[in-house]
Coordinates of all heavy atoms in Angstrom, one line a residue:
L184 N -16.3 8.2 10.2 CA -17.2 8.1 9.0 C -16.6 7.4 7.9 O -15.5 7.8 7.4 CB -17.7 9.5 8.5 CG -18.7 9.5 7.4 CD1 -20.1 8.8 7.8 CD2 -19.0 11.0 7.0
L185 N -17.2 6.2 7.5 CA -16.6 5.4 6.4 C -17.5 5.5 5.3 O -18.7 5.1 5.3 CB -16.5 3.9 6.9 CG -16.0 3.7 8.3 CD1 -16.1 2.2 8.6 CD2 -14.5 4.1 8.4
L186 N -17.0 5.8 4.1 CA -17.8 6.0 2.9 C -17.2 5.2 1.7 O -16.0 5.4 1.4 CB -17.8 7.5 2.5 CG -18.3 8.5 3.6 CD1 -18.1 9.9 3.2 CD2 -19.8 8.2 3.9
D187 N -18.1 4.5 1.0 CA -17.6 3.7 -0.1 C -18.2 4.3 -1.4 O -19.4 4.2 -1.6 CB -18.1 2.3 0.0 CG -17.3 1.3 -0.9 OD1 -16.5 1.8 -1.7 OD2 -17.4 0.1 -0.7
E188 N -17.3 5.0 -2.1 CA -17.7 5.7 -3.4 C -18.9 6.7 -3.1 O -20.0 6.6 -3.7 CB -18.1 4.7 -4.4 CG -17.0 3.8 -4.9 CD -15.9 4.5 -5.7 OE1 -16.1 5.6 -6.1 OE2 -14.9 3.8 -6.0
P189 N -18.8 7.6 -2.2 CA -19.8 8.6 -1.9 C -20.3 9.5 -2.9 O -21.4 9.9 -2.8 CB -19.2 9.3 -0.7 CG -17.7 9.4 -0.9 CD -17.4 8.0 -1.5
T190 N -19.5 9.7 -4.0 CA -20.0 10.6 -5.1 C -20.3 9.8 -6.4 O -20.5 10.5 -7.3 CB -18.9 11.6 -5.4 OG1 -17.7 11.0 -5.8 CG2 -18.6 12.5 -4.1
A191 N -20.3 8.4 -6.3 CA -20.7 7.7 -7.5 C -22.1 8.0 -7.9 O -23.0 8.0 -7.0 CB -20.5 6.2 -7.3
G192 N -22.4 8.3 -9.2 CA -23.7 8.5 -9.6 C -24.2 9.9 -9.4 O -25.4 10.1 -9.6
L193 N -23.3 10.8 -9.0 CA -23.8 12.2 -8.8 C -23.3 13.1 -9.9 O -22.1 12.9 -10.4 CB -23.2 12.8 -7.4 CG -23.6 12.0 -6.1 CD1 -23.1 12.7 -4.9 CD2 -25.1 11.8 -6.0
D194 N -24.0 14.1 -10.3 CA -23.6 15.1 -11.3 C -22.4 15.9 -10.6 O -22.2 15.9 -9.4 CB -24.7 15.9 -11.8 CG -25.4 16.7 -10.7 OD1 -24.8 17.8 -10.3 OD2 -26.4 16.3 -10.1
S195 N -21.7 16.6 -11.5 CA -20.5 17.3 -11.0 C -20.8 18.4 -10.0 O -20.0 18.5 -9.1 CB -19.7 17.9 -12.3 OG -20.6 18.8 -13.0
A196 N -21.9 19.1 -10.3 CA -22.2 20.2 -9.3 C -22.5 19.6 -7.9 O -22.0 20.1 -6.8 CB -23.4 21.0 -9.8
L197 N -23.3 18.5 -7.8 CA -23.7 17.9 -6.6 C -22.5 17.2 -6.0 O -22.3 17.3 -4.8 CB -24.8 16.9 -6.8 CG -25.5 16.3 -5.6 CD1 -26.0 17.4 -4.7 CD2 -26.6 15.4 -6.0
R198 N -21.7 16.6 -6.8 CA -20.4 16.0 -6.3 C -19.6 17.0 -5.6 O -19.0 16.7 -4.4 CB -19.6 15.4 -7.5 CG -18.2 14.8 -7.1 CD -17.4 14.7 -8.3 NE -17.0 16.0 -8.9 CZ -16.5 16.3 -10.0 NH1 -16.3 15.3 -10.8 NH2 -16.2 17.5 -10.4
D199 N -19.4 18.2 -6.1 CA -18.7 19.3 -5.5 C -19.2 19.7 -4.2 O -18.6 20.0 -3.2 CB -18.5 20.5 -6.4 CG -17.6 20.2 -7.6 OD1 -16.9 19.1 -7.6 OD2 -17.7 20.9 -8.6
E200 N -20.6 19.7 -4.1 CA -21.3 20.1 -2.8 C -21.0 19.0 -1.8 O -20.8 19.4 -0.6 CB -22.7 20.3 -3.1 CG -23.0 21.5 -3.9 CD -24.6 21.8 -4.1 OE1 -25.3 21.0 -3.4 OE2 -25.0 22.6 -4.8
I201 N -21.0 17.8 -2.2 CA -20.8 16.7 -1.2 C -19.4 16.7 -0.7 O -19.1 16.5 0.5 CB -21.2 15.3 -1.8 CG1 -22.7 15.3 -2.0 CG2 -20.7 14.3 -0.8 CD1 -23.6 15.4 -0.8
V202 N -18.4 17.0 -1.6 CA -17.1 17.1 -1.2 C -16.9 18.2 -0.2 O -16.2 18.1 0.8 CB -16.2 17.4 -2.5 CG1 -14.8 17.8 -2.1 CG2 -16.1 16.1 -3.3
A203 N -17.5 19.4 -0.5 CA -17.4 20.5 0.5 C -18.0 20.1 1.8 O -17.5 20.5 2.9 CB -18.1 21.8 -0.1
L204 N -19.1 19.4 1.8 CA -19.8 18.9 3.0 C -18.8 18.0 3.8 O -18.7 18.2 5.1 CB -21.0 18.2 2.7 CG -21.7 17.4 3.9 CD1 -22.1 18.3 5.0 CD2 -22.9 16.6 3.4
L205 N -18.1 17.1 3.2 CA -17.2 16.2 3.8 C -16.0 17.0 4.5 O -15.6 16.7 5.6 CB -16.7 15.2 2.9 CG -17.7 14.2 2.3 CD1 -17.0 13.2 1.4 CD2 -18.4 13.4 3.4
R206 N -15.6 18.0 3.7 CA -14.5 18.9 4.2 C -14.9 19.6 5.5 O -14.2 19.7 6.5 CB -14.1 19.9 3.1 CG -12.9 20.7 3.4 CD -11.7 19.9 3.3 NE -11.1 19.5 4.6 CZ -10.2 18.5 4.8 NH1 -9.7 17.9 3.9 NH2 -9.9 18.2 6.1
R207 N -16.2 20.1 5.6 CA -16.7 20.8 6.7 C -16.9 19.9 7.8 O -16.6 20.2 9.0 CB -18.0 21.5 6.4 CG -18.0 22.7 5.4 CD -19.2 23.5 5.5 NE -20.4 22.8 5.2 CZ -20.9 22.6 3.9 NH1 -20.2 23.1 2.9 NH2 -22.0 21.9 3.7
L208 N -17.4 18.7 7.6 CA -17.6 17.7 8.6 C -16.3 17.3 9.3 O -16.2 17.2 10.6 CB -18.2 16.4 8.1 CG -19.6 16.5 7.6 CD1 -20.1 15.2 6.8 CD2 -20.6 16.8 8.7
A209 N -15.3 17.1 8.6 CA -13.9 16.8 9.1 C -13.4 18.0 9.9 O -13.0 17.8 11.1 CB -13.0 16.4 8.0
T210 N -13.4 19.1 9.4 CA -12.8 20.3 10.0 C -13.6 20.8 11.2 O -13.1 21.0 12.2 CB -12.6 21.5 9.0 OG1 -11.8 21.0 7.9 CG2 -12.0 22.6 9.6
D211 N -15.0 21.1 11.0 CA -15.8 21.7 12.0 C -16.2 20.7 13.1 O -16.3 21.1 14.3 CB -17.0 22.3 11.4 CG -16.6 23.4 10.3 OD1 -15.5 23.9 10.5 OD2 -17.5 23.8 9.5
R212 N -16.6 19.5 12.7 CA -17.0 18.5 13.7 C -15.9 17.6 14.2 O -16.1 16.9 15.2 CB -18.1 17.7 13.1 CG -19.4 18.3 12.8 CD -20.5 17.4 12.5 NE -21.7 17.9 11.9 CZ -22.7 17.2 11.6 NH1 -22.8 15.9 11.9 NH2 -23.8 17.8 11.0
G213 N -14.7 17.6 13.6 CA -13.6 16.8 14.1 C -13.9 15.4 13.8 O -13.4 14.5 14.6
I214 N -14.5 15.0 12.7 CA -14.8 13.6 12.3 C -13.6 13.1 11.5 O -13.1 13.8 10.7 CB -16.1 13.5 11.5 CG1 -17.3 14.0 12.4 CG2 -16.3 12.0 11.1 CD1 -18.6 13.9 11.5
A215 N -13.2 11.8 11.8 CA -12.2 11.2 11.0 C -13.0 10.6 9.8 O -13.9 9.7 10.1 CB -11.4 10.1 11.8
V216 N -12.6 10.9 8.6 CA -13.4 10.5 7.5 C -12.4 9.6 6.6 O -11.3 10.0 6.3 CB -13.9 11.6 6.6 CG1 -14.7 11.1 5.4 CG2 -14.8 12.5 7.4
I217 N -12.9 8.4 6.1 CA -12.2 7.7 5.2 C -13.1 7.3 4.1 O -14.2 6.9 4.3 CB -11.5 6.4 5.8 CG1 -10.7 5.6 4.7 CG2 -12.6 5.5 6.5 CD1 -9.9 4.5 5.3
L218 N -12.7 7.5 2.8 CA -13.6 7.2 1.7 C -12.8 6.4 0.6 O -11.7 6.7 0.3 CB -14.2 8.5 1.1 CG -13.3 9.6 0.6 CD1 -13.0 9.4 -0.9 CD2 -13.9 11.0 0.8
A219 N -13.5 5.4 0.1 CA -13.0 4.7 -1.1 C -13.5 5.5 -2.3 O -14.7 5.8 -2.4 CB -13.5 3.3 -1.1
C220 N -12.6 5.7 -3.3 CA -13.0 6.6 -4.4 C -12.2 6.3 -5.6 O -10.9 6.1 -5.5 CB -12.8 8.1 -4.0 SG -13.5 9.2 -5.1
H221 N -12.8 6.3 -6.7 CA -12.1 6.2 -8.0 C -12.0 7.5 -8.7 O -11.4 7.6 -9.8 CB -12.9 5.2 -9.0 CG -12.7 3.8 -8.6 ND1 -11.6 3.1 -8.4 CD2 -13.6 2.8 -8.3 CE1 -11.7 1.8 -8.1 NE2 -13.0 1.7 -8.0
D222 N -12.6 8.6 -8.2 CA -12.7 9.9 -8.9 C -11.5 10.7 -8.5 O -11.4 11.1 -7.3 CB -13.9 10.6 -8.6 CG -14.2 11.8 -9.4 OD1 -13.2 12.4 -9.8 OD2 -15.3 12.2 -9.6
P223 N -10.5 10.9 -9.4 CA -9.3 11.6 -9.0 C -9.6 13.1 -8.6 O -8.9 13.6 -7.8 CB -8.4 11.6 -10.2 CG -9.3 11.2 -11.4 CD -10.4 10.4 -10.8
Q224 N -10.6 13.7 -9.2 CA -11.0 15.0 -8.8 C -11.4 15.1 -7.3 O -11.1 16.0 -6.6 CB -12.0 15.6 -9.7 CG -11.6 15.9 -11.1 CD -12.7 16.4 -12.0 OE1 -13.6 15.7 -12.5 NE2 -12.7 17.7 -12.2
V225 N -12.2 14.2 -6.9 CA -12.7 14.1 -5.5 C -11.5 13.9 -4.6 O -11.4 14.6 -3.6 CB -13.7 13.0 -5.3 CG1 -14.0 12.9 -3.9 CG2 -15.0 13.3 -6.1
V226 N -10.6 13.0 -4.9 CA -9.5 12.7 -4.1 C -8.6 13.9 -4.0 O -8.2 14.3 -2.9 CB -8.7 11.5 -4.6 CG1 -7.4 11.3 -3.9 CG2 -9.4 10.2 -4.6
E227 N -8.4 14.7 -5.1 CA -7.5 15.8 -5.1 C -8.1 16.9 -4.3 O -7.4 17.7 -3.5 CB -7.3 16.2 -6.5 CG -6.5 17.5 -6.7 CD -5.1 17.5 -6.1 OE1 -4.5 16.4 -6.0 OE2 -4.6 18.6 -5.6
S228 N -9.4 17.1 -4.4 CA -10.0 18.3 -3.7 C -10.3 18.1 -2.3 O -10.4 19.2 -1.6 CB -11.3 18.6 -4.5 OG -12.3 17.5 -4.3
C229 N -10.4 16.9 -1.8 CA -10.8 16.8 -0.3 C -9.9 15.9 0.6 O -10.0 16.1 1.8 CB -12.2 16.3 -0.2 SG -12.4 14.5 -0.4
A230 N -9.0 15.1 0.0 CA -8.3 14.2 0.8 C -7.0 14.8 1.4 O -6.3 15.5 0.7 CB -7.9 12.9 0.0
D231 N -6.8 14.6 2.6 CA -5.5 15.0 3.3 C -4.4 13.9 3.1 O -3.2 14.2 3.0 CB -5.7 15.2 4.8 CG -6.8 16.2 5.1 OD1 -6.6 17.4 4.7 OD2 -7.8 15.8 5.8
T232 N -4.8 12.7 3.1 CA -4.0 11.6 2.9 C -4.6 10.6 1.9 O -5.8 10.4 1.9 CB -3.7 10.8 4.2 OG1 -3.2 11.7 5.2 CG2 -2.8 9.7 4.0
V233 N -3.8 10.0 1.1 CA -4.2 9.1 0.0 C -3.4 7.7 0.3 O -2.2 7.7 0.3 CB -4.0 9.6 -1.4 CG1 -4.4 8.6 -2.4 CG2 -4.6 10.9 -1.6
S234 N -4.2 6.7 0.4 CA -3.7 5.4 0.6 C -4.1 4.5 -0.7 O -5.3 4.4 -0.9 CB -4.2 4.7 1.9 OG -3.7 5.4 3.0
T235 N -3.2 4.0 -1.4 CA -3.5 3.2 -2.6 C -3.2 1.8 -2.3 O -2.1 1.4 -2.0 CB -2.5 3.7 -3.7 OG1 -2.7 5.1 -3.9 CG2 -2.8 3.0 -5.0
L236 N -4.3 1.0 -2.4 CA -4.1 -0.5 -2.3 C -3.8 -1.1 -3.6 O -4.2 -0.7 -4.7 CB -5.5 -1.0 -1.8 CG -6.1 -0.4 -0.5 CD1 -7.4 -1.2 -0.1 CD2 -5.1 -0.5 0.6
R237 N -3.0 -2.2 -3.5 CA -2.6 -3.0 -4.6 C -3.5 -4.2 -4.7 O -4.0 -4.8 -3.7 CB -1.2 -3.5 -4.5 CG -0.1 -2.3 -4.4 CD 1.3 -2.9 -4.5 NE 1.5 -3.8 -3.4 CZ 1.9 -3.5 -2.2 NH1 2.1 -2.2 -1.9 NH2 2.2 -4.5 -1.3
A238 N -3.9 -4.6 -5.9 CA -4.7 -5.8 -6.1 C -3.9 -7.0 -5.6 O -2.7 -7.2 -5.9 CB -5.1 -6.0 -7.5
P239 N -4.5 -8.0 -4.8 CA -3.9 -9.2 -4.5 C -3.4 -9.9 -5.7 O -4.0 -9.8 -6.7 CB -5.0 -10.0 -3.7 CG -5.9 -9.0 -3.2 CD -5.9 -7.9 -4.2
A240 N -2.3 -10.7 -5.5 CA -1.7 -11.4 -6.6 C -2.7 -12.3 -7.4 O -2.6 -12.5 -8.6 CB -0.5 -12.3 -6.2
T241 N -3.8 -12.8 -6.7 CA -4.7 -13.7 -7.3 C -5.9 -13.0 -7.9 O -6.7 -13.6 -8.6 CB -5.3 -14.7 -6.3 OG1 -5.8 -14.0 -5.2 CG2 -4.2 -15.6 -5.9
A242 N -6.0 -11.6 -7.7 CA -7.1 -10.9 -8.2 C -7.0 -10.7 -9.7 O -6.0 -10.6 -10.3 CB -7.1 -9.5 -7.6
H243 N -8.2 -10.7 -10.3 CA -8.3 -10.6 -11.7 C -8.7 -9.1 -12.1 O -9.7 -8.7 -11.5 CB -9.3 -11.6 -12.3 CG -9.3 -11.6 -13.8 ND1 -8.5 -12.4 -14.6 CD2 -10.1 -10.9 -14.7 CE1 -8.8 -12.2 -15.9 NE2 -9.7 -11.3 -16.0
T244 N -8.0 -8.5 -13.0 CA -8.3 -7.1 -13.3 C -8.7 -7.2 -14.8 O -8.4 -8.1 -15.5 CB -7.1 -6.2 -13.2 OG1 -6.0 -6.8 -13.9 CG2 -6.7 -6.1 -11.7
A245 N -9.4 -6.1 -15.2 CA -9.9 -6.0 -16.5 C -8.8 -6.0 -17.5 O -7.7 -5.4 -17.2 CB -10.8 -4.8 -16.7
P246 N -8.9 -6.6 -18.7 CA -7.8 -6.6 -19.7 C -7.6 -5.2 -20.2 O -8.5 -4.4 -20.3 CB -8.3 -7.5 -20.8 CG -9.8 -7.5 -20.6 CD -10.1 -7.4 -19.1
G247 N -6.3 -4.9 -20.5 CA -6.0 -3.6 -21.0 C -6.6 -3.4 -22.4 O -6.7 -4.3 -23.2
T248 N -7.2 -2.3 -22.6 CA -7.8 -1.9 -23.9 C -7.5 -0.5 -24.3 O -7.3 0.3 -23.5 CB -9.4 -2.0 -23.8 OG1 -9.8 -1.2 -22.7 CG2 -9.9 -3.4 -23.6
P249 N -7.4 -0.2 -25.6 CA -7.0 1.1 -26.0 C -8.1 2.1 -25.7 O -9.3 1.8 -25.8 CB -6.9 1.0 -27.5 CG -7.7 -0.2 -27.9 CD -7.6 -1.1 -26.7
V250 N -7.7 3.3 -25.3 CA -8.7 4.3 -25.0 C -9.2 4.9 -26.3 O -8.5 5.1 -27.3 CB -8.0 5.5 -24.2 CG1 -9.0 6.6 -24.0 CG2 -7.5 5.0 -22.9
R251 N -10.5 4.9 -26.4 CA -11.2 5.4 -27.6 C -11.0 6.9 -27.8 O -11.2 7.6 -26.9 CB -12.7 5.1 -27.6 CG -13.4 5.3 -28.9 CD -14.7 4.6 -28.9 NE -15.3 4.8 -30.2 CZ -16.2 5.7 -30.4 NH1 -16.8 6.3 -29.5 NH2 -16.7 5.7 -31.6

Side-chain angles (χ1 to χ4, degrees):
L184 182 60
L185 316 175
L186 305 171
D187 198 350
E188 297 289 350
T190 60
L193 302 183
D194 60 82
S195 57
L197 190 53
R198 178 199 65 196
D199 293 344
E200 290 184 5
I201 295 300
V202 166
L204 169 61
L205 297 180
R206 188 71 262 165
R207 290 196 304 273
L208 292 172
T210 302
D211 298 343
R212 296 193 191 181
I214 299 177
V216 180
I217 181 170
L218 57 92
C220 188
H221 286 305
D222 189 331
Q224 289 181 282
V225 172
V226 173
E227 173 62 26
S228 60
C229 78
D231 302 301
T232 303
V233 180
S234 295
T235 302
L236 302 184
R237 300 187 303 273
T241 57
H243 186 88
T244 55
T248 53
V250 176
R251 186 163 188 255

